[in-house]
Amino acid sequence: MLSVEDVSLYYGSSRALRGVSVTAAAGEVTCVLGRNGVGKSSLLRAITGQRPISGGRITLEGKEIDGLRPYDRAALGVAYVPQGREIFPLLTVKENLETGFAPLKRKDRSIPEDVFDLFPVLKSMLGRRGGDLSGGQQQQLAIGRALVTRPKLLVLDEPTEGIQPSIIKDIGRAIRYLRDKGTMAIVLVEQYFDFAQELADRFIVMERGEVVESGDAKALEGDDVRQRLHF
Amino acid sequence: EETIKIGILHSLSGTMAISETTLKDAMLMLIEEQNKKGGVLGKKLEPVVVDPASNWPLFAEKARELISNQKVAVVFGCWTSVSRKSVLPVFKELDSVLFYPVQYEGEESERNVFYTGAAPNQQAIPAVDYLMKEEGVQRWVLAGTDYVYPRTTNKILEAYLKDKGVAQEDILINYTPFGHSDWQTIVSDIKKFGSTGKKTAVVSTINGDANVPFYKELGNQGIKATDIPVVAFSVGEEELAGIDTKPLVGHLAAWNYFQSVDTPDNKAFIEKWQAFTKNPKRVTNDPMEAHYIGFNMWVKAAEKAGSVEPDKVIDALPGIEQANLTGGVSKMLPNHHITKPVLIGEIKDDGQFDVVEKTDDLVPGDAWSDFLPGSKDLEADWVAKKCGNFNTKTGKCGGQGS
Amino acid sequence: MRLIGLRGATLGLLIAIATLLGGPASPASADPVDDALARFAADKYDETDKAIEGLVAASAQNGQAIFEAMSAGRLLYDPESKTVLIKDAGGALVLAKTGDPAPQALAAKPLKTVRLNNRVRRSLEAASGAFALQAPDPQKRIGAARAIFKTREPTALPAIEAALAKEKDASAKQALEAAKAAIILARQDAPEADRIAAADIVAAVGDQDALAALRTLPANTPPAVKQAAEAGVASIERWLGVANVVQDVTYGVSLGSVLLLAAIGLAITFGVMGVINMAHGEMVMIGAYATFLTQGFIRDYVPALSGASLILAIPVAFLVAGAVGVLIERTVIRFLYGRPLETLLATWGVSLILQQAVRSVFGPTNREVQTPEWLQGSVSFLGVSLTWNRIAIVLFAMAVFFALMLLLKRTSLGLRVRAVTQNRRMAASMGIRTPWVDAMTFGLGSGVAGIAGVALSQIDNVSPNLGQSYIIDSFLVVVFGGVGNLWGTLVGALSIGVANKLLEPFAGAVLGKIILLVAIILFIQKKPRGLFALKGRAVEA
Amino acid sequence: MAIGGLTTNALLYLDNVSVTFDGFRALNALSLSIDAQEMRAIIGPNGAGKTTMMDVITGKTRPNQGVAVFEASHDLTKLDEASIAELGIGRKFQTPTVFEMHTVEDNILLALKTDRRPFPTLFSKRTKAEKERIDALLERVRLTGSRDRKAGELSHGQKQWLEIGMLLAQEPKLLLVDEPAAGMTDQETADTADLLREIAKTASVVVVEHDMVFVRDLGVKVTCLHEGSVLAEGSLDAVSTNERVVEVYLGR
Amino acid sequence: MSRYRFLDGAGMIFLAVVLAMAALIPASNLLLPPDSWLHVPDHMVPLLGKYLAFAMLALALDLVWGYCGILSLGHGAFFALGGYAMGMYLMRQIGPRGVYGNPVLPDFMVFLNWTELPWFWLGFDHFWFALLMVVLVPGALAFCFGWLAFRSRVTGVYLSIITQALTFALMLAFFRNDMGFGGNNGLTDFKDILGFPVQAQGTRAALFALTAFALAGSYLLSRWVVTSKLGKVVVAIRDAESRSRFIGYRVEHYKLVVFTLSAMLAGIAGALYVPQVGIINPSEFAPANSIEAVIWVAVGGRGTLVGAALGAFLVNAGKTWFTGVLPSMWLFALGGLFVLTTLLLPKGVVGLITDLFGIRRKSELPAPTAPAAPAKAAPAE
Ligand SMILES: Nc1ncnc2c1ncn2[C@@H]1O[C@H](COP(=O)(O)OP(=O)(O)OP(=O)(O)O)[C@@H](O)[C@H]1O
Ligand SMILES: Nc1ncnc2c1ncn2[C@@H]1O[C@H](COP(=O)(O)OP(=O)(O)OP(=O)(O)O)[C@@H](O)[C@H]1O
Ligand SMILES: NC(N)=O
Ligand SMILES: [Mg+2]
Ligand SMILES: [Mg+2]
């Protein structure tokens, strides 16, 4: 589904990604692991088009997307749950969800019931302004909002950050549910190792803007990867 | 080839561009005409145009640039009084000549300035006389923009009206800011003031931009000239070009020139102007005539003095005569003001004025008003007394001081 | 004195009317009419005045037509033969006296128009006005009665009474009664009781003219009448005190609507998008010039639509200003998102360029935008008079406001606009085509500013400086109301308008405005984020 | 000392605090007391009011009712943010907020405990002691290598660390730490717990966290908030076996 | 303290240029023969002096805007107040040389029939008093206004717009003839300053040199402030106001200090401006003037001090030049300049210069760096 090949990315003159390659397949969760500041979010920014890349290739279902604008990528089925949630603060919860209608055909413009099944709190707060929600509520909204676009590729940046344990479990269930539908590829950046381990089908570990290890879920069981994440 | 440079100091941008740009064009036309006649003293004239941008300190700066940098022989320019005040010290310091073409508040006479617009006694007082005599006006609204020209003019008029026995309660004075655009309250106040049964008129010294919304409100609130006539001192053909004048027919203006005056000179002037601007509908107005007179006087003075040197021209100018466009001959007086006819016109529905009264003789411009306590003893005479503020009481030059 | 002349004219007129009322006029001898007509050719206002008087006195058969032609500037004379002619609406020349077609020879001569001045115009009005007491249209009769109420001309009494006797229409009857009362009130020889009753009737009219009638009684009026008049004055003044407040508030709403119209486009480009749009005023100006051009085009090519030209100018102004807005957004503003302060610099530059562009193309002077017939004049209710164009502006401002409100709150475009302005990057990732939304939003704000230009062309100068005179007020309104809140803009505009008009009567226009500005500065201390501040952590986020 | 009729030895005492936003009760008659040198962990569902509570303590939000007393003598509900900070209450926000245009080093410098008035600040010179302290703090939060970078260029987690460093620099008596472990790796989380325990030797600490491993690591008394008031309080084991806590917070 | 040097390269160059101007321009104007190509013509001296006064205003504005984040759209008011204080002194120096020859009352008072000098004109015949007022009046107004606004936490555009309302209200007030400041005409026709004729070339040269020194002095003062720890606090406030509060800084006090200082500098600039241009009138309070000052700062480079001064100089020199050579087109040139500056020079002229000459701050990154590569894709920003 998604293939990232040899991608580099700069902030001014500082290089955040150096020849990173990763792939994600439909019906699988690909986990990106790594310590703070190694470039995990930068990789997702490259995939979603929030930041231009300076080298390499990104393709989605064989189609090159690295030259496309974020909204064109969204139209092709890329949905993004950013780190820091980035809720539209003055829009109500309902309106936040409805922003996901933009890339959809008119007939598809409804909020899938899944969203409210996964995050019932959203249903009870439809009329409240997004910015007024608590941190965890916003995180749920951000995931819900991404799902409204019916993505083919769901990109999540630390979605458990600031979320209460029961809902982390719910999110885990949600991700598994989405994966099991088999149509969606999921890229998950996660620091919370146990959570990642539970969900990942495949993973990469990053260090200083490079992929230093990758493999499938089994490899996570050893202490190897855990070690890499320590100082 | 050596030329004589003429400075043109009129705002081409900013709030005053609306009035002053025309004067710049008029000067260009006059200079072109003169060059066709062979120039002055055998030299061609070369206009130097700058844009002081309706910015008063910039006027002074540009004046300095024209005189010291461009070495112009004479400057034609300014519209607002504050712009004139701003450039005055420059003209005095650098000893050059300014022709100022706009009606103003008086209370000034400078050696380096020649005032070709009307002083209050050449505009305001005759207008009030007309209204009293012809329309039997007994109650007066003096409405003006809050600056020195309306303030002074109204002070003079107030004194004059009281002199004529008008009671204080029959005078309403009202000031508004520049560019005032919401006239509802004031127009309705005027209406109230005028509904006591005594014939009421408005004397308007409202300036520039504020006039259009004022007249529109007047028209819409149904104040017709037959009910409460408005006589204006700052509204000419140019200003009316922006208004639908049908509801305003009969309101008045007092000037020293109207485009509609039917004389051969005026006809020729209008034709030349419309040809020059390539616009058969382009109107003429009073300050343009003032520049016409001023420019021709300067040409004559230069020829008389045989030089364009300011000192010589300044000395040569008093006494110079120039036919104006309305059929008389204006003369430069020793006080650097000129004699002018006073015309009262009523607005017609085509945006022109119908002259309803014209003074028989030309009225000499009075630099110092006889109706203000501070200046009634003052007199300007740059020929005999070489003084702009001679005190006839003390017999000394230098204002009221002893 | 002129006043006497005037009286004379009216007097003669009324005698004529009395004759008219008395029965069929006796066939007039040719002489007085010829006499009168000849005076027109003297080209002196005094003589013209007398001519009118003479025509009325002689009940000239063609009088009404002559007067009409005269006020329309279609009464001509031949200076040589002193023949007076009427040029009828079709341009054909007829003899004034008879209405017969004029001989060819006369038509070829250099004819002059009979000139009018205010005094002559007044006589003319009185002359045609007196005829109006008999007019078939009751509105005209009411107008004539009102005029007499105003002048309180005693000689008009018989005519009034005659008219009253025949009058069927209730409101016309009332107007005639009032006019009659006004005359009787001032009459020394009327019985005291009648005069007291008259004072009550006059007082019931309750306007400025009534006040004048009650106040200007002759010196030797009996005390009882005086008392009644004074009571009337007091009651009117009490009412007028209330009416004054009503008037000030009404004017305030009207001023507020102008401010609202001027500000509402800015509420989008600045309030919603965050662009410190110094070129907003120029968008208003472009709208006004678009109106001017539309009117000119319609006048020249489809004169049939002239009455509707202002309405047609609305879409034109919207599209023109909107297109300029889109152009500015695409070429300048789009590079500046996230750098709001820099938009100030760039749009200031754009504003200078637009001003000069308009000045270069249309010249620096005012352009005339006409007020259509149906927007001219004013209505009076309860002693407050409001002009039609102001009423139209109030309604128009409200319509624009609510349409915009609906657009932003109820359509998907509105949602996208708000999403983009709150978080452009995230909006893009949600699939919103941000460049398109930006261009549309800025275009919308500019287009609405252009529409404001259509309205402002009705009350202000159409000149290159038009925009400059509204920009400061517009920002003040948007900020005072609370940035990003359309309701705030509405309430802000109206409250500034009303406060301004309530202050103006006793502080004057200049001081009133100063007080208002200081009040706004102090008010912002209480509400540092405007009248309708958004609250909560959503805002701080 | 008594404020609002209370007598207490607690460093921080909240009594009957309620906060309402447009009719929604974010805090509902919340009462809580923190002793000097106590560390307290606060847990509770998203939206329980944990952050709002911190807002009340730091003067950002004014409660509709109730009092918040610090050191038995200061009513925090009457003071503004700066005065509260001056009293010795420091805060780390849920989403990291640092001075993005300043360097990492200057961020710490600005947070150092010094005279905060404008004129002393204008004339202040950096002392040797200050310099050493900055070095030590940077070392502690592992940002020595980034000391000259602009804080805005840091990654999310690095900003978290920087903010903790700034908090330490203030030497507060009471630290309010909102989700310090969010976005950190397990190792970093453990490290943070160590740091907080160390701080708690000299100051009081209130930590909000959803990471139960971390909370267990801290080994302190736990308060669970729910719908704006205290649902359960005690050791983590006790609280985490509470039926209601499991139901609304931990999940099964 | 290595990274914030009190004077950086640009600052040194700036000071050197300003001080050189202070010495060379008067010298060249007074000493060299007019036909020498090095001679600075008479009319250039007050013109350059005006630019320097504007540069000082821009400097003051940059202090509050660039460093404190307060976008004042009313700084012209402080400039004008300083100017009026100086103008009042100059008016009093006219003495009996006015057109009415009244030894006490300025002409405009005689002409409105005033008989007595209003109380607020008292004392202005003393130079030291006027000088004090030049600083105190703008300072006091800024202090009162700022005290209200900052205490109430009025920020952002709300603050900008009320500063604009302030200057607008002052403009209307000074327009009123009843206020006693000469109405629309303002104060003009000055004769002497400290006994020297204002129109004398020597006085002009001295005023110019004084302005240059004042500019250099204000630059040093501003530079000292922004490089101090207070400067850092102020920048912190600009970028994260509420965060600063939670650390314990009284934001309102800091803003007040900087705002008042800036207003005083603006006042001094106004006082130096007036004798050189020869008029002060209410249009100096016009909101557009204050906006223009903001634009000078933006053109030169906000938050750089040197840039602000440079911007003021460049824009005004451009204006002088354009209004002379392109009298009916110059707005296109100036407007275009503003648009292009914003688009092409986001950091202003100073940003361009530092970029060109590589005077940029070194950026130390933990990861090895490579030269910036061109972006392959250009997503929406
Ligand atoms: N806007 C930016 N400007 C400059 N440098 C940046 C920017 N954003 C990130 N960086 C730098 O790029 C590197 C990678 O950052 P990134 O945000 O991708 O890290 P991360 O792996 O997501 O870290 P974390 O787990 O803390 O979120 C870091 O060194 C960071 O300091
Ligand atoms: N300004 C506001 N308007 C309306 N509701 C608000 C406002 N501020 C907070 N709330 C609501 O108050 C509740 C408490 O929020 P708070 O941020 O304190 O929760 P929290 O316990 O910190 O949650 P989290 O663990 O998710 O950070 C939430 O439901 C939130 O939506
Ligand atoms: N002199 C004038 N009209 O200002
Ligand atoms: Mg990250
Ligand atoms: Mg929280």
Side-chain angles (χ1 to χ4, degrees), chain A residues 11 36-42 83 191, chain D residues 149 153 155-158:
Chain A
Y11 293 105
N36 291 139
V38 296
K40 305 181 295 295
S41 301
S42 305
Q83 191 167 22
Q191 305 259 24
Chain D
R149 292 182 68 193
E153 295 171 0
S155 80
H156 186 78
Q158 290 166 324

Side-chain angles (χ1 to χ4, degrees), chain A residues 161-228:
Chain A
E161 196 183 305
I163 301 244
Q164 70 183 75
S166 62
I167 296 176
I168 293 183
K169 289 177 192 159
D170 293 344
I171 292 175
R173 277 194 281 270
I175 293 175
R176 221 170 289 128
Y177 164 81
L178 295 169
R179 174 187 65 189
D180 293 346
K181 278 208 212 159
T183 51
M184 196 187 288
I186 296 171
V187 176
L188 173 67
V189 166
E190 191 50 71
Q191 305 259 24
Y192 180 20
F193 189 79
D194 295 341
F195 183 77
Q197 190 185 15
E198 226 172 277
L199 288 172
D201 295 301
R202 304 150 52 68
F203 74 95
I204 61 168
V205 178
M206 293 182 66
E207 240 168 58
R208 289 185 157 210
E210 284 172 319
V211 178
V212 291
E213 207 160 317
S214 62
D216 57 15
K218 272 190 217 86
L220 286 174
E221 279 159 22
D223 264 356
D224 233 31
V225 175
R226 234 180 240 274
Q227 215 57 54
R228 282 226 175 252

Side-chain angles (χ1 to χ4, degrees), chain B residues 13 49 51 56-57 61-62 64 69 82 85 89 92-93 107 146-148 151-152 389 398-401, chain E residues 43 47 50 99-101 110-111 176-178 184-185 188-189 199 204 273 279 281 283-284 320 323 327 330:
Chain B
S13 58
V49 179
D51 179 14
W56 319 134
E61 182 184 317
K62 290 284 151 195
R64 190 174 290 281
N69 211 22
V82 55
K85 292 276 184 206
K92 279 195 276 183
E93 178 196 342
E107 304 297 292
D146 190 9
Y147 76 108
V148 64
R151 287 246 175 207
T152 316
N389 53 354
Q400 305 163 322
Chain E
H43 77 273
L47 198 58
K50 181 178 96 167
V99 292
Y100 295 107
V110 179
F111 149 108
R176 302 183 67 230
N177 280 275
D178 302 341
N184 180 39
N185 278 6
T188 178
D189 206 15
Q199 309 219 330
R204 287 247 167 81
Y273 166 86
I279 180 171
N281 107 324
S283 64
E284 296 298 339
T320 301
T323 49
W330 68 276

Side-chain angles (χ1 to χ4, degrees), chain D residues 136-152:
Chain D
L137 284 165
L138 285 174
E139 198 57 41
R140 188 73 192 80
V141 295
R142 292 196 204 90
L143 287 170
T144 307
S146 300
R147 69 186 299 157
D148 286 335
R149 292 182 68 193
K150 279 195 180 165

Side-chain angles (χ1 to χ4, degrees), chain C residues 87-102:
Chain C
K87 193 199 242 161
D88 68 19
L93 285 174
V94 299
L95 290 172
K97 189 177 171 194
T98 55
D100 297 334

Side-chain angles (χ1 to χ4, degrees), chain B residues 79-82 84 100 102-105 147 149 207 234:
Chain B
W79 182 293
T80 61
S81 290
V82 55
R84 187 189 70 251
Y100 177 68
V102 184
Q103 99 284 16
Y104 85 119
E105 66 277 4
Y147 76 108
Y149 165 67
N207 188 270
S234 304

Side-chain angles (χ1 to χ4, degrees), chain B residues 12-14, chain C residues 278-283 285-286 289 324 327-328 331-332 344-362 464-465 468, chain E residues 295 322 328-343:
Chain B
L12 309 179
S13 58
Chain C
M278 299 309 284
H280 168 72
E282 279 58 48
M283 297 297 145
M285 171 191 75
I286 287 174
Y289 274 92
V324 174
L327 188 74
I328 294 173
T331 53
V332 180
L344 171 103
L345 173 57
T347 52
W348 181 259
V350 169
S351 130
L352 295 185
I353 292 172
L354 289 177
Q355 274 175 53
Q356 187 60 42
V358 168
R359 200 173 279 129
S360 302
V361 175
F362 294 96
N465 300 331
Q468 292 296 299
Chain E
I295 282 170
F322 290 145
S328 45
M329 290 295 192
W330 68 276
L331 282 173
F332 287 131
L334 200 67
L337 181 79
F338 293 157
V339 173
L340 291 180
T341 312
T342 341
L343 294 183

